């Protein structure tokens, strides 16, 4: 369905207080969402005005006044809901509480930095492997020729190791 003019007016009022922007992380927007969609969005109570209780503590330490008789529940369920009830009847507390103040100048999250760095290293590694394979293929073709090509024996060299000389170094010996 459509939103009522009062709901739209309240949304514009939230934006007017916040330089034309509606902070979706604030209590007023959460309250507006609760009024627009009461079954989907819980009411955002002001900080410190409620005392949440664990369900197990509630069950063990509550007086019987919190429980309704079956006849009371049936009477409440039998009431016809007012479809034409004005939105003005819903309480509106015009007090903003920001849950999180956005910081657009914040430093990047360490986990994301590690992930980006890891992805960059993997990409670099894959690139180096590809270049190495290409260079090895080119070197093999330069030394041994193309597949199916006859090698001219007069241009081949034999590589052998010469024993250590008086300086104690090994030498490679090239001969035709």
């Amino acid at each position: 369905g459509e939103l009522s003019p009062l709901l739209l007016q309240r949304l514009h009022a939230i934006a007017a207080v916040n330089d034309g922007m509606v902070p979706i992380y604030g209590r007023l927007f959460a309250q507006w969402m609760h009024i627009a969609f009461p079954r989907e969005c819980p009411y955002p109570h002001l900080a410190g005005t409620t005392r949440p209780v664990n369900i197990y503590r509630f069950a063990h330490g509550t007086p019987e006044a919190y429980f309704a008789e079956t006849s009371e529940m049936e009477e409440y369920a039998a009431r016809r809901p007012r479809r034409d009830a004005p939105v003005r009847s819903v309480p509106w507390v015009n007090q903003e509480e920001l849950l999180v103040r956005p910081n657009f100048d914040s430093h990047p999250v360490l986990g994301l930095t590690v992930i980006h760095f890891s992805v960059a290293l993997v990409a670099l590694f894959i690139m180096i492997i590809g270049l190495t394979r290409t260079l090895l293929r080119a070197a093999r073709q330069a030394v041994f020729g193309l597949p199916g090509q006859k090698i001219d024996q007069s241009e081949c060299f034999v590589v052998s190791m010469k024993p250590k000389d008086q300086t104690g170094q090994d030498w490679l010996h090239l001969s035709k």
Side-chain angles (χ1 to χ4, degrees):
E2 290 186 24
L3 297 174
S4 71
L6 182 61
L7 267 178
L8 292 175
Q9 179 185 0
R10 286 183 175 164
L11 189 62
H12 288 294
I14 295 170
V17 174
N18 294 291
D19 298 325
M21 304 290 282
V22 176
I24 60 172
Y25 47 83
R27 198 197 74 77
L28 282 177
F29 181 69
Q31 180 177 247
W32 184 88
M33 288 291 291
H34 169 71
I35 293 172
F37 309 101
R39 293 185 180 178
E40 291 85 1
C41 303
Y43 182 79
H45 295 278
L46 289 168
T49 59
T50 61
R51 291 187 346 197
V53 178
N54 184 321
I55 191 168
Y56 299 110
R57 287 187 183 175
F58 180 80
H60 287 63
T62 53
E64 295 298 318
Y66 285 109
F67 298 100
E69 297 292 327
T70 306
S71 61
E72 287 180 277
M73 289 189 271
E74 289 172 351
E75 179 185 327
Y76 187 77
R79 288 186 197 168
R80 279 186 9 168
R82 287 183 56 196
R83 299 198 185 275
D84 60 342
V87 179
R88 288 181 183 84
S89 66
V90 177
W92 180 265
V93 180
N94 200 19
Q95 185 175 348
E96 181 69 288
E97 291 178 345
L98 299 179
L99 303 176
V100 178
R101 181 170 294 282
N103 187 0
F104 299 111
D105 299 330
S106 65
H107 299 290
V109 179
L110 180 63
L112 291 177
T113 304
V114 170
I115 291 171
H116 289 158
F117 184 71
S118 301
V119 169
L121 278 179
V122 168
L124 180 67
F125 182 70
I126 291 172
M127 185 179 70
I128 289 173
I129 289 174
L131 286 173
T132 304
R133 290 182 65 197
T134 303
L135 286 173
L136 288 175
R137 282 189 196 133
R140 190 174 345 135
Q141 287 178 357
V143 172
F144 298 112
L146 296 174
Q149 180 182 9
K150 293 188 178 184
I151 300 173
D152 185 9
Q153 295 292 331
S154 64
E155 296 188 19
C156 289
F157 292 95
V158 175
V159 179
S160 60
M161 287 289 288
K162 285 180 94 177
K164 294 181 180 183
D165 60 3
Q166 62 268 22
T167 61
Q169 295 181 354
D170 290 328
W171 292 91
L172 286 178
H173 177 69
L174 298 175
S175 61
K176 281 196 171 193

